[in-house]
Amino acid sequence: MEYITSLLRDKGFKVTPQRLAIYKVLARTKAHPSAEMIFNELQPLYPTMSLATVYKTIEILKEIGLLQVLNVGEDSFRYDANVENHPHIRCMVCNRVDDLDNIETAGFADSVAKLTSYRITGQQFYFYGICPACQKKNDK
Amino acid sequence: MEYITSLLRDKGFKVTPQRLAIYKVLARTKAHPSAEMIFNELQPLYPTMSLATVYKTIEILKEIGLLQVLNVGEDSFRYDANVENHPHIRCMVCNRVDDLDNIETAGFADSVAKLTSYRITGQQFYFYGICPACQKKNDK
DNA sequence: CTATGTGCAAAATGTTTGCAGACGA
DNA sequence: TCGTCTGCAAACATTTTGCACATAG
């Protein structure tokens, strides 16, 4: 948490309560919230904050490497303060998005580079399915 | 191409010139076009076709399993008439999207299922980088 | 002939932008 | 104090919807 403060300053951005609050929401959760989810969560504490501020802050956090952007096939983007490369899985019923740690995905980039002559800069692995909770609901 | 005709009819959809034309565009290309790209390509031949028709047709083609939807991190979706599961790679400079055949991605789903208790229904692997052509341009 | 499809325009959704006043350094 | 940031409203881009007319079967 002190990290974001000095990182913002180092990169020439000002440290504001809004920016800290938005990052704190992301850092605390594993729910991979969208901009609107972040906005809603902050409403009680920061009733005057606008969605535009959320988007502008996300842009900065992405730029300084404090979050990564996810595209799980919804209309909106989701954000993850865990910037390490790891796969994600979305429940197509309740739309929750979970991390998949413990899945080995390194090594792909090299073979892709050899196969295509692309210079690889990133990767995202997404899985889709039905989460345990939604499976139970449907069984009833 | 005769396949789509009978498939549409079997599923209770009517066969129209627009639907055939849209599918033909998708079936012929490996460029993974967006709705607007499809629309633009059909403009000369079908000047009265509307974007709404493109979207409605895409919805049907997805439903009957003739296309898959891609999310390569852009604001719009892209579509692929190759419905087999295969990874994709996007050039972050020119935004072209290429197929990655010859990359083994099966086997993941099983270990994900075991690890998470999700019932897996699909997966998408995306790579990001710079394509050979754009690398050359930048070197100059 | 009838039900479904098309094309238009309007609406809905998610995101971005411009700008006046607020505030961090 | 000065330059950046916030919050608002308007603009934008993509996709969806409602409806009158057209058309496949």
Side-chain angles (χ1 to χ4, degrees):
Chain A
M1 210 51 210
E2 324 73 47
Y3 187 50
I4 180 188
T5 301
S6 47
L7 194 57
L8 280 171
R9 268 197 268 263
D10 286 357
K11 302 274 183 172
F13 296 106
K14 291 191 174 166
V15 177
T16 68
Q18 289 90 335
R19 287 175 183 172
L20 296 179
I22 289 164
Y23 181 70
K24 204 182 293 182
V25 168
L26 277 165
R28 269 213 266 255
T29 184
K30 294 200 170 260
H32 311 87
S34 63
E36 199 167 10
M37 289 165 166
I38 297 171
F39 174 75
N40 288 334
E41 182 159 343
L42 290 173
Q43 269 309 92
L45 256 131
Y46 296 80
T48 72
M49 188 188 294
S50 80
L51 244 186
T53 298
V54 175
Y55 279 109
K56 287 169 184 168
T57 298
I58 285 169
E59 189 58 34
I60 290 173
L61 294 178
K62 177 174 58 175
E63 210 176 306
I64 66 181
L66 285 182
L67 66 77
Q68 64 172 312
V69 182
L70 306 183
N71 252 260
V72 287
E74 295 171 309
D75 295 332
S76 52
F77 291 94
R78 286 172 173 256
Y79 306 97
D80 193 342
N82 174 1
V83 293
E84 269 173 62
N85 194 295
H86 60 285
H88 293 89
I89 184 163
R90 165 154 83 109
C91 174
M92 300 307 280
V93 178
C94 67
N95 292 314
R96 64 176 292 147
V97 175
D98 286 310
D99 292 310
L100 290 172
D101 304 313
N102 312 319
I103 296 269
E104 188 49 57
T105 61
F108 270 91
D110 278 352
S111 47
V112 172
K114 271 172 204 146
L115 215 81
T116 63
S117 303
Y118 267 71
R119 182 184 312 146
I120 309 295
T121 59
Q123 66 183 53
Q124 288 289 354
F125 290 13
Y126 298 114
F127 293 87
Y128 305 94
I130 304 174
C131 73
C134 287
Q135 287 177 46
K136 267 185 206 159
K137 268 181 231 151
N138 270 20
D139 288 349
K140 283 172 192 167
Chain B
M1 210 48 211
E2 324 74 45
Y3 186 50
I4 180 188
T5 302
S6 47
L7 195 57
L8 280 171
R9 269 197 266 264
D10 287 357
K11 302 275 183 172
F13 296 106
K14 292 189 175 170
V15 177
T16 67
Q18 290 90 337
R19 288 174 182 172
L20 296 178
I22 289 164
Y23 181 70
K24 205 183 292 180
V25 169
L26 277 165
R28 269 213 266 253
T29 184
K30 293 200 171 260
H32 311 88
S34 64
E36 198 165 12
M37 289 165 165
I38 297 171
F39 174 75
N40 288 335
E41 182 159 343
L42 290 173
Q43 269 309 92
L45 256 131
Y46 296 81
T48 73
M49 188 189 292
S50 80
L51 243 186
T53 298
V54 175
Y55 279 109
K56 287 169 185 170
T57 298
I58 285 169
E59 188 58 32
I60 290 173
L61 294 178
K62 176 175 58 174
E63 209 175 308
I64 65 180
L66 285 182
L67 66 77
Q68 64 172 313
V69 182
L70 307 182
N71 250 257
V72 287
E74 297 170 308
D75 295 333
S76 52
F77 291 94
R78 286 171 173 255
Y79 308 97
D80 192 342
N82 175 1
V83 293
E84 268 172 64
N85 194 296
H86 60 285
H88 294 89
I89 185 163
R90 165 154 83 108
C91 174
M92 300 308 279
V93 178
C94 67
N95 291 314
R96 64 175 291 145
V97 175
D98 286 310
D99 291 310
L100 289 172
D101 305 313
N102 312 319
I103 296 269
E104 189 49 56
T105 61
F108 270 91
D110 278 352
S111 47
V112 172
K114 270 172 205 147
L115 215 81
T116 63
S117 303
Y118 267 70
R119 181 185 311 145
I120 309 295
T121 59
Q123 66 184 55
Q124 288 290 354
F125 289 13
Y126 299 114
F127 293 87
Y128 305 93
I130 305 174
C131 73
C134 288
Q135 288 177 46
K136 265 185 206 160
K137 267 180 233 152
N138 269 21
D139 287 348
K140 280 173 193 167

